[in-house]
Amino acid sequence: MNTSVDPAVDLGMVWRNRFATLGEAFFTLQQPTPLPSPVWVGTSPSVARLLGLELQWLACPAGLGAFTGNLPIAGTQPLASVYSGHQFGHWAGQLGDGRAILLGEVDTPSGPQEVQLKGAGLTPYSRMGDGRAVLRSSIREFLCSEAMHALGIPTSRALCVTGSPAPVRREEIETAAVVTRVAPSFIRFGHFEHFSHNNLHGELRQLADFVIDHHYPACRDAPGNPYAALLEAVSARTAEMVAQWQAVGFCHGVMNTDNMSILGLTIDYGPFQFLDAFNPGHICNHSDPGGRYAYNRQPNIAYWNLFALGQALLPLMDDQQQALDALEPYKALMPGALQRRMNAKLGLERVEDGDTELTDTLMKLMAADAVDFTIFWRRLSQAADGAIDPVRDLFLQREAFDAWALRWRERLAAQSGFDAGATRARMLRTNPRVVLRNHLGELAIQRAKAGDFSEVARLQNALEHPFDDLPGQDDLATFPPDWASEIEISCSS
């Protein structure tokens, strides 16, 4: 019998795993399960540079094996963590890393970064799942992670995607893939819920202390209870993140508490979508017929999730009121952060009385005429020092839009030191030309399924420069085709 073990690949990275110091209650050591005949699907040189990884590893067989989970990586301590959570508003009990394996952590100029293989095989927390990710969903996560980063939205990153012909059953038989994703931490609201729900208050305190010490050190010396300070800090970061989602027209699709980052990062890309025609009640997740996670409900759902986190932290606080007080700032922070973002999209440098009404009127007009979200804002940017007709042409209610546009131009001109050219340039750096629309991702996926990964690379390049007018990309910045509205994405996406 062959009992040989593949030698570990030394990627030239210094690894540690601070999460592993928490102890056995928090995780299970778990080696990835190999996949046959892996291939490179997509790589991110910028993430490699972030990690201090030589680019050669994203082109050679040893790197391919390492990031598919086929070869051990020297210095890593692979593990899967346990957590629980609320899914679609209902307590789901124990969950955990059912298909993600944490390799460890690397120090970078931007601070420590955890590296995780998603789709690397069964773990003790896979429940009825197979521990695998499919090519379709892996390409979507890879592209959207990098797209969101380029838009300036807090997010996990993606180093690479590898594919394999190994069959995986979802709604149909698909092929397997692995995403190597990166974040300062993958700790979720659900980690806290797990220990609180099971009355493991010692472990709950240990986890909270770990997060404070490594990610929110200012909370330790904050007045009052440090865990209430932690809840307030997480609420503030979450408010900023969701405001950025709303401003760019991003729908997450499955805001379960186990998909909410304790650092206010966008994580767990599944049935996400960037809006095409503006519809405030748009539901991007085919698995969410009731619209719990519709676009316009995201701010309130984020608060609901923060409330659940507050309930989980109650054993560490003096009383329930302390938790409620820590959550209260969200109600002002989120709308304020969103209005600042909308003002920036409108070319307005500061928020003044009447700006909320100006924005609300515009959004109602856009919704009534189902105006394309991204194209509208890009054209409005170009109209800051030029003709308004290309923007006006997007509306059926021309007179109503004209009235709004007059108010907008008057508000712009009233700014101290207003310069139309500078305003236009600033708006063009705020309102992207290219976002990861569903149909663009679908076209790249279909080619990838046929073994052609060139469209993944072309789309990745555009998404890494979303505000630039790059040559040869006009087809990525135009209206979606009619068939785009027929694309269905679900929790398996």
Side-chain angles (χ1 to χ4, degrees):
M1 181 174 64
N2 183 5
T3 58
S4 63
V5 177
D6 289 318
V9 177
D10 187 349
L11 299 175
M13 303 163 71
V14 178
W15 295 88
R16 61 178 175 177
N17 199 329
R18 292 185 298 182
F19 189 87
T21 65
L22 287 167
E24 295 180 355
F26 294 84
F27 64 86
T28 301
L29 295 176
Q30 180 67 53
Q31 291 293 328
T33 303
L35 283 168
S37 306
V39 294
W40 293 108
V41 176
T43 61
S44 173
S46 69
V47 178
R49 288 189 289 269
L50 169 68
L51 297 174
L53 177 69
E54 295 291 338
L55 294 182
Q56 66 184 17
W57 291 110
L58 298 182
C60 70
L64 177 62
F67 293 119
T68 306
N70 292 7
L71 296 174
I73 300 174
T76 62
Q77 188 179 7
L79 61 83
S81 72
V82 62
Y83 49 82
S84 298
H86 286 84
Q87 298 190 329
F88 292 92
H90 302 287
W91 180 248
Q94 180 177 303
L95 303 167
D97 291 329
R99 55 178 173 171
I101 294 176
L102 178 66
L103 296 178
E105 187 178 55
V106 178
D107 281 326
T108 79
S110 299
Q113 298 287 328
E114 292 184 344
V115 182
Q116 195 179 71
L117 299 182
K118 181 178 179 180
L122 287 169
T123 79
Y125 315 114
S126 298
R127 298 193 295 172
M128 301 299 291
D130 55 23
R132 291 301 185 189
V134 296
L135 182 65
R136 163 178 52 98
S137 62
S138 300
I139 288 174
R140 282 171 54 85
E141 174 150 2
F142 172 73
L143 291 174
C144 201
S145 298
E146 295 310 285
M148 294 287 271
H149 174 72
L151 290 168
I153 299 173
T155 180
S156 59
R157 302 288 304 275
L159 172 67
C160 60
V161 180
T162 66
S164 165
V168 178
R169 177 174 289 280
R170 292 296 182 263
E171 284 88 352
E172 58 184 15
I173 297 297
E174 302 186 52
T175 57
V178 175
V179 184
T180 300
R181 56 185 188 175
V182 176
S185 174
F186 285 98
I187 295 176
R188 304 133 188 283
F189 292 9
H191 281 95
F192 293 87
E193 290 185 288
H194 176 76
F195 295 106
S196 185
H197 181 82
N198 289 292
N199 294 314
L200 298 171
H201 295 167
E203 287 81 358
L204 176 66
R205 184 181 298 272
Q206 185 184 358
L207 178 63
D209 286 338
F210 178 89
V211 170
I212 289 173
D213 291 343
H214 295 306
H215 302 289
Y216 292 95
C219 293
R220 183 66 65 199
D221 300 320
N225 185 294
Y227 309 109
L230 172 63
L231 178 59
E232 185 171 348
V234 174
S235 298
R237 288 198 188 185
T238 303
E240 289 287 343
M241 176 190 71
V242 175
Q244 289 177 273
W245 288 1
Q246 301 301 106
V248 80
F250 175 77
C251 309
H252 184 279
V254 60
M255 291 174 65
N256 297 331
T257 59
D258 58 293
N259 293 336
M260 296 293 291
S261 162
I262 200 69
L263 299 185
L265 305 174
T266 313
I267 59 172
D268 293 347
Y269 292 93
F272 68 84
Q273 184 179 4
F274 286 86
L275 293 173
D276 290 328
F278 181 60
N279 171 11
H282 180 70
I283 304 167
C284 70
N285 184 355
H286 190 61
S287 305
D288 182 24
R292 176 178 176 82
Y293 299 137
Y295 167 77
N296 60 357
R297 293 184 178 178
Q298 291 184 141
N300 286 340
I301 289 297
Y303 180 82
W304 193 98
N305 290 339
L306 287 163
F307 187 87
L309 175 62
Q311 288 183 308
L313 289 170
L314 276 180
L316 307 182
M317 297 191 200
D318 299 334
D319 52 44
Q320 187 176 37
Q321 190 60 47
Q322 199 167 54
L324 293 173
D325 290 345
L327 292 171
E328 189 64 24
Y330 177 90
K331 298 176 183 178
L333 285 172
M334 209 299 300
L338 178 56
Q339 190 59 54
R340 289 194 302 274
R341 297 281 174 181
M342 299 309 293
N343 270 39
K345 294 174 77 65
L346 289 167
L348 305 175
E349 297 189 67
R350 60 186 58 85
V351 178
E352 297 181 0
D353 291 343
D355 288 351
T356 299
E357 195 274 332
L358 182 70
T359 303
D360 289 347
T361 299
L362 171 62
M363 303 308 276
K364 289 175 182 176
L365 287 172
M366 292 177 65
D369 289 348
V371 172
D372 187 278
F373 191 84
T374 300
I375 289 176
F376 166 79
W377 288 108
R378 191 68 177 182
R379 288 191 184 182
L380 191 72
S381 305
Q382 295 163 334
D385 67 344
I388 198 75
D389 285 351
V391 190
R392 188 175 188 265
D393 289 344
L394 297 172
F395 291 83
L396 296 174
Q397 303 176 71
R398 302 289 176 85
E399 292 184 1
F401 173 74
D402 289 343
W404 178 87
L406 178 62
R407 291 177 57 200
W408 171 62
R409 286 190 180 278
E410 289 174 346
R411 174 69 176 84
L412 280 178
Q415 296 185 111
S416 176
F418 171 68
D419 180 289
T423 299
R424 179 182 191 270
R426 191 169 61 249
M427 291 176 68
L428 288 172
R429 294 193 300 270
T430 303
N431 296 310
R433 180 176 186 246
V434 178
V435 295
L436 182 55
R437 296 177 186 263
N438 269 355
H439 77 278
L440 298 178
E442 184 64 22
L443 290 171
I445 289 165
Q446 292 305 320
R447 289 196 184 184
K449 286 181 176 180
D452 177 3
F453 307 122
S454 61
E455 192 63 17
V456 172
R458 187 174 84 100
L459 188 50
Q460 177 189 352
N461 180 60
L463 294 169
E464 288 176 345
H465 305 89
F467 305 103
D468 299 340
D469 289 316
L470 299 179
Q473 295 184 350
D474 288 349
D475 61 313
L476 305 181
T478 190
F479 294 96
D482 290 342
W483 58 265
S485 63
E486 300 173 4
I487 298 173
E488 291 185 352
I489 48 176
S490 65
C491 289
S492 72
S493 301

